[in-house]
Amino acid sequence: MNWISNYVRPRINSIFSRREVPENLWSKCSECGTMLFHREISDNLNVCSNCNHHMHITPRDRFFSLFDGGVFNEVEVATPIADPLQFRDQKKYPDRMKAAQKKTGEKEAMLVATGEIGRTPIVAAAQDFSFMGGSMGMYVGNAIVAAAEEAARLGRPLVLFSAAGGARMQEGILGLMQMPRTTVALQILKEKKLPYIVVLTHPTTGGVTASYAMLGDVQISEPNALIGFAGARVIEQTIGEKLPEGFQRAEYLLEHGMLDRVTDRREMRDELIVICRMLMKQTPPTWGDLPAPGPDNLVEAPKE
Amino acid sequence: MAHYLDFEKPLAEIEGKAEELRAMARGNEDMDIEDEAEALDRKAKDLLKDLYGKLTPWRKCLVARHPDRPHCQEYIDALFTEFTPLAGDRNFADDHAVVGGLARFNDQPVMVIGQEKGNDTKSRIKHNFGMARPEGYRKAVRLMEMAGRFGLPVVTLVDTPGAYPGLGAEERGQSEAIARSTEKCLEIGVPLVCVVIGEGGSGGAVAFAAGNRVAMLEHSVYSVITPEGCASILWKDAEKMRDAAEALRLTANDLYQLGVADRVIPEPLGGAHRDRAAAIKAVGSAIAGMLGELKGQSSEELIAARRKKFLEIGSRGLAA
C-alpha cells in the first residue's frame, strides 16, 4: 500500500469512471434509424442530424438551451391535493405518480421558470410528455396559473411549450376543469396586454389543444408535431375512411390556417427573441454568444 | 312503446303484464282485473324506486343517454317564449348540433344556447347526435358575444357525447373553436347559467358550461372522457366501462361534492323520461333560482366571481 494505490488510482479511476459517461453513448433516431452519438444529439437539441426528426426533449434540457447561459429560476408551483378522487384503475393513481416521478426525476408534468433569452426577460412553461403523457391535471393547471401570475407581476411575455395527450383521466372532472381554469389565467395576461406565445410540440392533443395550447397570440409549432383534438383512430372509426397523409401534423395545420409558423427547434430561440422583443416594443436584439446574466445585468424583479 | 334499458328488464316484464291484462279486459267487459293490475303497478313502482334509488355510475350514464330523455329543444319550447332561433357562425356553416337564439324566460329576454341530440333517426342525423363541429362552437361564441353586448343573461343547456371527431372538424380547428367558446363563457359581463340535462361530454361540454352557475339533473353525467374510452385506455378493455364509470366520479352528486356543480336538480322517479313535464318544470325553477341569485350584480362582479369560481375548483377533494 502506498499513496499511488491509495490516492492516485482511485482518482484516476474516478476520472474515467463509468458514471462519467451516459449509459447509452449511442441512440437510434426513431424516425430514420441513424445511430447518433449522445453529444451530437444534445448539441443538436435532440434533433436528428440526419433526418431533422425532432425527438423528445425534457423541459429542463429545453430551458438549459433556451435561457441565456442556461440560467433560469424555477417558479414555485402550488402543490394540489394528491389523488382527489382516490382513483384506481389497474394501478392506483399515487403509484402511477411515483413511477412517473422516478422515471423523469421531476415532480410533475410541467416546469415553470423565469429568465432571459437574448437578454429579453420572459417567463417560460414547458410540459413534459414523458411524465404521464404530459397530462393536464391540477398541478399543470396550477403551473399555468403560476406562470401567468408571474408574467403579469413581472410584466413579461409568457412562452409556453405544450406537449400532452390531454386532460389527466385519473383526476376526472378536475382534470377537465383545468380547461376553464387555465383560460382564466391567460385572461389575466390578456388584460395586462402581455404577449402569450405557444410553441406546440409533439404531441399536443385533446383538452390541452382545446384550451391554453390554442389561445396564443402567436402559435408556433415544431416540425411534424401531432396536433389535434380527437385521436386519429377515433376519427377513422367515425367517418369510416382512411385519413390523408400528414393529417393533424404541424404542416397540415399551418396549411389550414391553424398556426402562424412551423419552426425548427434549433431556430426557435432566435425566433422567440425577435417576436417577444417586437411585441414588447423593445430594441432589436443584439446577437452573439451571451454569457449568463451576471449580478450587473440581472433584471431585478419589481417588488409588489 | 317505452324504451327499456337493460337493467330495467324486470320492470319491463311487470309493466308489460299489467298492460296485457288491461288490454285483455278492454275486449271483455265481465273481466275484473283492475285489482290484479293495480298490484302489478305497485310492484313496478317499488321496483322502480329500488332500481333508481341506487343507480350505479354506469347506469346513470345509460339513463343520461336514454333515447326518450327530454332534449334541449323540448326544454326550450316548454320553458321559454318567443324563441327566435339564430343560425350560423358567419364563416362556414350552420351547425344543427347547436341550437340557440333569443327568447324570453319568465318574460325576461335572454339568450338560450344548447346542444340538441334529436329524437328519431332523421332528427338525430340532422343534429349529428348532439356532437358539434367547430361551426357550432363559433355560433355559440357569436351568440354569447351578442348577449354580452346587449346585456342579456345567457342560459346554456348541455347535452353532448362530445365534440364531433371528424376530418373536416379537425381541419377547421375543432380545438381552437372549443377553446374560444370556453374563453367567451369566461369573458362575458352578463349572468351565465348552465344546466347539464343529459351527457356532459368532455371539452365539448366545457365550452358551454364555464358559467357563473352550473346545475346538473340528478341522473346526468359530466366527465373528462366516456367510461368506454377511459376503460379502453387505462384498463385496455372497453368492457370495463363499469369500473371506469365508478372511478371517474362523473355523477351529479360527485360533481356537487367537488364544487363543479352548484346544484343538483332532482328527477322524477325513474328518470326524466318517465315524467318529462315534471323534469322540465324542475329545470325551469332551477334556472329561475340561479338567475335570481345573480340578479343585480355588475358586469365586473359577474366576471370576477366566475373567474374566482374556476380558479378555486380543485381546492377540495371527495370525502373519503
Side-chain angles (χ1 to χ4, degrees), chain A residues 32 48 54 68 77 81 148 156 181 211 231 257 284 286 300:
Chain A
C32 68
C48 172
H54 284 50
D68 296 347
V77 176
I81 329 175
R156 299 180 181 192
R181 221 168 149 248
S211 58
T286 309
E300 259 309 297

mmCIF file of all heavy atoms in Angstrom, chain A residues 32 48 54 68 77 81 148 156 181 211 231 257 284 286 300:
data_model
loop_
_atom_site.group_PDB
_atom_site.id
_atom_site.type_symbol
_atom_site.label_atom_id
_atom_site.label_comp_id
_atom_site.label_asym_id
_atom_site.label_seq_id
_atom_site.Cartn_x
_atom_site.Cartn_y
_atom_site.Cartn_z
ATOM 1 N N CYS A 32 -35.451 7.727 -38.655
ATOM 2 C CA CYS A 32 -34.679 7.205 -39.786
ATOM 3 C C CYS A 32 -33.724 6.075 -39.374
ATOM 4 O O CYS A 32 -33.112 5.433 -40.229
ATOM 5 C CB CYS A 32 -33.891 8.320 -40.473
ATOM 6 S SG CYS A 32 -32.560 9.004 -39.465
ATOM 7 N N CYS A 48 -32.487 14.994 -34.886
ATOM 8 C CA CYS A 48 -31.638 14.060 -35.621
ATOM 9 C C CYS A 48 -30.850 14.815 -36.683
ATOM 10 O O CYS A 48 -31.426 15.555 -37.486
ATOM 11 C CB CYS A 48 -32.492 12.970 -36.277
ATOM 12 S SG CYS A 48 -31.550 11.914 -37.387
ATOM 13 N N HIS A 54 -37.511 15.725 -34.897
ATOM 14 C CA HIS A 54 -37.451 16.350 -33.581
ATOM 15 C C HIS A 54 -37.840 15.328 -32.519
ATOM 16 O O HIS A 54 -39.000 14.984 -32.387
ATOM 17 C CB HIS A 54 -38.387 17.564 -33.517
ATOM 18 C CG HIS A 54 -37.845 18.762 -34.219
ATOM 19 N ND1 HIS A 54 -37.361 18.715 -35.512
ATOM 20 C CD2 HIS A 54 -37.679 20.050 -33.818
ATOM 21 C CE1 HIS A 54 -36.941 19.923 -35.874
ATOM 22 N NE2 HIS A 54 -37.123 20.764 -34.860
ATOM 23 N N ASP A 68 -30.396 32.359 -21.597
ATOM 24 C CA ASP A 68 -29.019 32.830 -21.734
ATOM 25 C C ASP A 68 -28.125 32.115 -20.737
ATOM 26 O O ASP A 68 -28.391 32.140 -19.529
ATOM 27 C CB ASP A 68 -28.936 34.344 -21.465
ATOM 28 C CG ASP A 68 -29.722 35.150 -22.490
ATOM 29 O OD1 ASP A 68 -30.121 34.571 -23.529
ATOM 30 O OD2 ASP A 68 -29.950 36.352 -22.246
ATOM 31 N N VAL A 77 -44.611 26.135 -7.845
ATOM 32 C CA VAL A 77 -45.994 25.829 -8.211
ATOM 33 C C VAL A 77 -46.686 25.219 -6.998
ATOM 34 O O VAL A 77 -46.135 24.327 -6.347
ATOM 35 C CB VAL A 77 -46.029 24.842 -9.396
ATOM 36 C CG1 VAL A 77 -47.463 24.434 -9.721
ATOM 37 C CG2 VAL A 77 -45.349 25.442 -10.621
ATOM 38 N N ILE A 81 -54.097 18.955 -3.959
ATOM 39 C CA ILE A 81 -54.415 17.771 -3.158
ATOM 40 C C ILE A 81 -54.033 16.539 -3.969
ATOM 41 O O ILE A 81 -54.340 16.471 -5.161
ATOM 42 C CB ILE A 81 -55.926 17.602 -2.891
ATOM 43 C CG1 ILE A 81 -56.653 18.945 -2.820
ATOM 44 C CG2 ILE A 81 -56.192 16.734 -1.680
ATOM 45 C CD1 ILE A 81 -58.162 18.758 -2.682
ATOM 46 N N ALA A 148 -48.689 32.484 -15.429
ATOM 47 C CA ALA A 148 -49.395 33.692 -15.868
ATOM 48 C C ALA A 148 -49.304 34.782 -14.808
ATOM 49 O O ALA A 148 -49.083 35.959 -15.126
ATOM 50 C CB ALA A 148 -50.859 33.354 -16.181
ATOM 51 N N ARG A 156 -43.821 40.536 -18.091
ATOM 52 C CA ARG A 156 -43.049 39.842 -19.127
ATOM 53 C C ARG A 156 -43.953 38.991 -20.015
ATOM 54 O O ARG A 156 -45.023 38.587 -19.583
ATOM 55 C CB ARG A 156 -42.052 38.881 -18.477
ATOM 56 C CG ARG A 156 -41.045 39.530 -17.583
ATOM 57 C CD ARG A 156 -40.153 38.452 -17.030
ATOM 58 N NE ARG A 156 -39.154 39.029 -16.134
ATOM 59 C CZ ARG A 156 -38.096 38.362 -15.680
ATOM 60 N NH1 ARG A 156 -37.932 37.091 -16.025
ATOM 61 N NH2 ARG A 156 -37.239 38.936 -14.884
ATOM 62 N N ARG A 181 -59.954 26.731 -16.157
ATOM 63 C CA ARG A 181 -59.057 27.304 -15.165
ATOM 64 C C ARG A 181 -57.836 27.970 -15.812
ATOM 65 O O ARG A 181 -57.470 29.088 -15.480
ATOM 66 C CB ARG A 181 -58.593 26.186 -14.241
ATOM 67 C CG ARG A 181 -58.560 26.619 -12.821
ATOM 68 C CD ARG A 181 -58.391 25.467 -11.875
ATOM 69 N NE ARG A 181 -57.675 25.997 -10.745
ATOM 70 C CZ ARG A 181 -56.433 25.657 -10.431
ATOM 71 N NH1 ARG A 181 -55.803 24.741 -11.134
ATOM 72 N NH2 ARG A 181 -55.857 26.217 -9.418
ATOM 73 N N SER A 211 -57.731 24.129 -25.148
ATOM 74 C CA SER A 211 -57.742 25.242 -24.196
ATOM 75 C C SER A 211 -56.476 26.077 -24.386
ATOM 76 O O SER A 211 -56.309 26.696 -25.430
ATOM 77 C CB SER A 211 -57.925 24.741 -22.762
ATOM 78 O OG SER A 211 -56.917 23.830 -22.385
ATOM 79 N N GLY A 231 -58.423 11.817 -31.458
ATOM 80 C CA GLY A 231 -57.397 10.894 -31.917
ATOM 81 C C GLY A 231 -57.718 10.384 -33.310
ATOM 82 O O GLY A 231 -58.877 10.237 -33.682
ATOM 83 N N GLY A 257 -54.523 27.016 -41.790
ATOM 84 C CA GLY A 257 -54.713 28.303 -41.113
ATOM 85 C C GLY A 257 -54.797 28.247 -39.602
ATOM 86 O O GLY A 257 -55.263 29.191 -38.973
ATOM 87 N N PRO A 284 -34.146 46.166 -31.129
ATOM 88 C CA PRO A 284 -33.794 44.899 -31.783
ATOM 89 C C PRO A 284 -32.737 44.158 -30.964
ATOM 90 O O PRO A 284 -31.946 44.783 -30.269
ATOM 91 C CB PRO A 284 -33.205 45.338 -33.129
ATOM 92 C CG PRO A 284 -33.710 46.717 -33.353
ATOM 93 C CD PRO A 284 -33.905 47.334 -32.011
ATOM 94 N N THR A 286 -29.436 42.068 -29.755
ATOM 95 C CA THR A 286 -28.017 42.014 -30.100
ATOM 96 C C THR A 286 -27.658 40.545 -30.183
ATOM 97 O O THR A 286 -27.881 39.801 -29.231
ATOM 98 C CB THR A 286 -27.187 42.668 -28.981
ATOM 99 O OG1 THR A 286 -27.748 43.950 -28.719
ATOM 100 C CG2 THR A 286 -25.738 42.803 -29.389
ATOM 101 N N GLU A 300 -33.759 43.116 -11.917
ATOM 102 C CA GLU A 300 -34.422 42.957 -10.611
ATOM 103 C C GLU A 300 -35.928 42.837 -10.822
ATOM 104 O O GLU A 300 -36.529 43.589 -11.593
ATOM 105 C CB GLU A 300 -34.137 44.190 -9.732
ATOM 106 C CG GLU A 300 -33.051 44.004 -8.678
ATOM 107 C CD GLU A 300 -33.234 42.775 -7.805
ATOM 108 O OE1 GLU A 300 -34.242 42.719 -7.076
ATOM 109 O OE2 GLU A 300 -32.355 41.892 -7.842
#
